[in-house]
Amino acid sequence: MNITLDNLDDLPHRCRRCVFWELDAVAHDRAVTSGGGALEKEAWVSSTLLEWGSCGKLLYVDDVPAGFVLFAPPLYVPRSVAFPTSPVSADAVLLMTAHILPEYTGGGLGRMLVQGVAKDLTRRGVKAIEAFGDLKGADGGCMVAADYLLSVGFKTVRPHHRFPRLRLELKSALSWREDVEVALERLLGSMTPEGILRPA
């Protein structure tokens, strides 16, 4: 489900008021000091939705928020220029952050989130998704672990000892998924009741 102002409060509490990506370093420090992170987050989501469109997805399991992802063109992400492996390629959207709640990890939900983003962005004519991976993968941070990005199909395009920049070509991401869907349809189609009941 797309993130909107109506479901923004379903983000984990810490993430709901975090504006690491949405503001430059000076404005971020000011927001943290004043306690205005939640308002700044809301303002960023609102303006990005109005100017560019959907910029995040929430994933629910039995009506409980289980994970989310935020993404936007680098123009909307002031923090993106601060990384040693920037800038993000002109034809790509930046995957800012992705988070699955600990109790829901290991079930493929992270891959589902990225595939949902890929499908959405392909419809909008975007060629690729890029992300700054974190090789240390600190828990509770705003960065996405490089290992996770590699596991869902991203490739390193700009190596770095801490923050490599990775890229996922959307055509290949979707063709892989479509190949799997076609194979499943064939398998399930061969197991229809008509096929089973047909006399030999």
Side-chain angles (χ1 to χ4, degrees), residues 19-43:
V19 283
F20 173 82
W21 289 104
E22 294 86 348
L23 301 175
D24 62 51
V26 174
H28 171 265
D29 292 347
R30 195 180 310 126
V32 169
T33 304
S34 70
L39 279 175
E40 292 285 359
K41 184 86 153 196
E42 195 170 310

Side-chain angles (χ1 to χ4, degrees), residues 115-186:
Q115 287 174 344
V117 172
K119 203 166 198 171
D120 180 7
L121 293 178
T122 300
R123 280 194 212 107
R124 292 156 76 176
V126 175
K127 300 275 186 267
I129 305 170
E130 290 190 1
F132 297 104
D134 184 358
L135 283 173
K136 291 194 177 170
D139 283 342
C142 303
M143 302 288 299
V144 181
D147 287 349
Y148 162 73
L149 292 167
L150 291 167
S151 75
V152 295
F154 281 74
K155 306 274 186 249
T156 303
V157 289
R158 188 89 193 275
H160 186 264
H161 66 277
R162 177 71 198 271
F163 299 120
R165 180 160 48 91
L166 299 100
R167 180 177 172 96
L168 178 67
E169 300 290 342
L170 292 184
K171 191 174 180 185
S172 63
L174 282 184
S175 64
W176 173 84
R177 183 178 180 187
E178 285 162 2
D179 290 346
V180 170
E181 287 173 352
V182 166
L184 279 172
E185 280 174 20
R186 283 188 188 139

